[in-house]
Amino acid sequence: MTVTERFLNYTAFDTQSSEESQSTPSTPGQMVFAQYLAEELKREGLHDVVLDDKGYVYATLPGNVTEDLPTIGFIAHYDTSPDCSGKGVKPRIVEHYDGGDIMLSEGIVLSPSVFPELLAHKGEDLIVTDGHTLLGADDKAGIAEIVQAMTWLRDHTEVKHGRVRIAFTPDEEIGRGADHFDVEGFGCQWAYTMDGGDVGELEYENFNAASAKVTVQGVSVHPGYAKGKMVNASLLAMEFETQLPADERPETTEGYEGFFHVTSINGSTSEACLSLIIRDHDRERFDKRKKLVADIATKMNSRYGEGTVTVEMHDQYYNMKEVVAGQQHIIDLALKAMRRAGVEPRVQPIRGGTDGAQLSFKGLPCPNIFAGGLNFHGPYEFIPVQSMEKAVRVIVGICQLLA
């Protein structure tokens, strides 16, 4: 079976995660797919295959050398984003892409005029959607690549390697992918998540991240008799938002620039709620951003009365660079494997987070390597077959270089 065939099989499973659910996995479809993966790994002859009650799948490829080598791991997540439907995915392969528009469905076009990154893959075979769902390359491509690499090493006994552990996790897209990960049981010195984007990406810096829920209490009075009495909670929620820096939003920032992102505002005269996320690569600037949110609430309470505005703020994850930067050999190994596979590395910061960020702070250093997909979380998502094949070679190369 090829890596493409594996990936296409995986897209048939609806594995959207849900922030509204408190269970793990957050949706039943994820457990269905986890069961399929566990059975597949057993069929492929991997050892120590475990599917736990939280939906985490673990397995081992035994080493074939006598010397004592580090045990390393490869990790991917199987849930897909809540941002776009993952049910009834209809993938197809556009062979030898010619650089023009791709008609996904009537009136839905994947065009290089909107997505110029297409042109970097001219001549390659692109897997696309029908324009009505996401594709799921984030991160089912990573799973397919890991499984394919393990079966290749299984079949090529002349290639020496140490013990390799793999793991597939639920609920990464809603920030819970590492919550129940058994780091001690995984038993690795370090690992790599195969969860990056375009070919060549290698990432070991990510945002520090926090979420904030701002609740505004108003006073609802008949509007005909409201003078001096009404406090409109919805208007105060909007006032809160206007005090955040207008030039520090996702749509106005790039690279190492952090931001505030209001994800929702809803409410009425009597009560309103504003949800936002806070991001910055630098820990000191991150702390200042959180303080600004708290200070806005304090300022508004001094104007409108104590308790009018309350803020619940929670840190979500931190920049893995704090952990990984001191272990340069982990990065160097991946860089060398990429170049041997004919891939030019592109080291860059993640404007987001991965399971690897949280795992790094749990004692498992875990940089992020490309899975090959582009335009994640929407119907214009695509992945070149050749990028998946290169990712497989990188995984194999990392294992081989350690022997």
Side-chain angles (χ1 to χ4, degrees):
M1 182 179 291
T2 67
V3 66
T4 301
E5 290 168 334
R6 288 188 198 280
F7 173 66
L8 292 176
N9 284 346
Y10 297 164
T11 64
F13 291 85
D14 180 9
T15 58
Q16 270 188 295
S17 47
S18 171
E19 294 186 49
E20 306 306 315
S21 169
Q22 297 306 309
S23 63
T24 304
S26 62
T27 52
Q30 291 187 72
M31 185 61 87
V32 171
F33 186 42
Q35 292 166 344
Y36 174 89
L37 288 172
E39 291 303 314
E40 180 182 37
L41 295 176
K42 292 175 184 177
R43 290 195 305 270
E44 295 291 6
L46 272 75
H47 294 205
D48 310 320
V49 177
V50 173
L51 168 60
D52 69 18
D53 63 344
K54 300 293 186 182
Y56 290 72
V57 181
Y58 305 95
T60 302
L61 178 70
N64 60 6
V65 293
T66 55
E67 59 262 41
D68 186 22
L69 297 175
T71 297
I72 63 170
F74 295 92
I75 301 167
H77 67 90
Y78 55 73
D79 67 312
T80 59
S81 171
D83 293 345
C84 182
S85 174
K87 183 177 182 180
V89 176
K90 297 177 180 176
R92 68 181 175 95
I93 300 176
V94 178
E95 296 183 345
H96 310 298
Y97 171 60
D98 63 7
D101 290 352
I102 301 173
M103 183 71 72
L104 302 179
S105 291
E106 185 175 353
I108 304 176
V109 179
L110 177 59
S111 173
S113 65
V114 180
F115 302 103
E117 55 270 26
L118 278 163
L119 297 177
H121 299 282
K122 187 176 178 179
E124 298 180 356
D125 305 315
L126 310 186
I127 305 176
V128 301
T129 75
D130 67 352
H132 296 288
T133 68
L134 50 67
L135 180 62
D138 180 15
D139 190 25
K140 290 172 182 172
I143 296 174
E145 293 153 5
I146 292 169
V147 176
Q148 193 69 19
M150 295 303 102
T151 59
W152 192 94
L153 288 168
R154 176 202 65 196
D155 294 339
H156 291 78
T157 55
E158 74 280 5
V159 176
K160 302 305 179 184
H161 60 85
R163 181 172 178 263
V164 183
R165 291 279 280 160
I166 66 174
F168 305 136
T169 66
D171 291 334
E172 188 271 353
E173 296 290 0
I174 57 173
R176 303 182 206 160
D179 284 5
H180 303 283
F181 194 101
D182 184 4
V183 172
E184 183 177 354
F186 198 46
C188 293
Q189 278 86 334
W190 71 86
Y192 302 92
T193 50
M194 300 299 298
D195 191 21
D198 205 356
V199 64
E201 288 185 9
L202 174 62
E203 302 153 330
Y204 62 94
E205 299 180 68
N206 60 275
F207 277 139
N208 296 291
S211 64
K213 180 180 179 182
V214 180
T215 302
V216 182
Q217 299 296 332
V219 177
S220 182
V221 179
H222 189 289
Y225 310 96
K227 186 174 181 179
K229 303 172 184 174
M230 177 184 286
V231 178
N232 192 321
S234 291
L235 292 179
L236 294 191
M238 289 187 283
E239 180 181 329
F240 188 102
E241 191 280 330
T242 62
Q243 295 182 71
L244 297 171
D247 59 347
E248 296 180 17
R249 299 170 177 166
E251 62 267 35
T252 61
T253 54
E254 61 183 355
Y256 286 97
E257 297 171 335
F259 58 75
F260 301 91
H261 176 41
V262 176
T263 57
S264 68
I265 299 180
N266 57 74
S268 61
T269 302
S270 58
E271 183 175 279
C273 182
L274 179 151
S275 296
L276 71 149
I277 59 175
I278 304 162
R279 300 289 188 266
D280 208 297
H281 284 91
D282 181 84
R283 182 72 78 100
E284 184 176 342
R285 290 197 302 265
F286 174 61
D287 289 338
K288 288 181 178 178
R289 290 183 182 280
K290 292 189 292 181
K291 184 176 184 301
L292 176 60
V293 171
D295 287 348
I296 293 171
T298 299
K299 179 180 175 182
M300 291 185 67
N301 282 332
S302 68
R303 182 184 306 167
Y304 297 109
E306 193 61 35
T308 301
V309 179
T310 57
V311 177
E312 296 177 37
M313 197 151 26
H314 302 283
D315 286 359
Q316 296 170 303
Y317 51 82
Y318 302 109
N319 190 344
M320 75 171 88
K321 183 180 179 181
E322 296 180 27
V323 176
V324 176
Q327 304 189 54
Q328 187 61 36
H329 63 283
I330 300 174
I331 305 300
D332 291 342
L333 181 64
L335 292 171
K336 188 173 183 180
M338 283 188 183
R339 294 191 176 103
R340 281 199 176 187
V343 174
E344 184 58 36
R346 293 188 294 117
V347 179
Q348 60 189 36
I350 310 171
R351 287 185 60 80
T354 70
D355 282 345
Q358 296 183 54
L359 292 172
S360 292
F361 283 91
K362 288 186 172 186
L364 180 66
C366 202
N368 192 40
I369 295 175
F370 71 93
L374 298 98
N375 300 341
F376 293 149
H377 298 190
Y380 299 102
E381 183 183 2
F382 71 93
I383 187 167
V385 169
Q386 289 78 5
S387 295
M388 289 196 294
E389 292 170 344
K390 289 173 182 176
V392 173
R393 294 201 294 272
V394 170
I395 296 170
V396 169
I398 289 172
C399 298
Q400 188 176 7
L401 284 167
L402 275 174

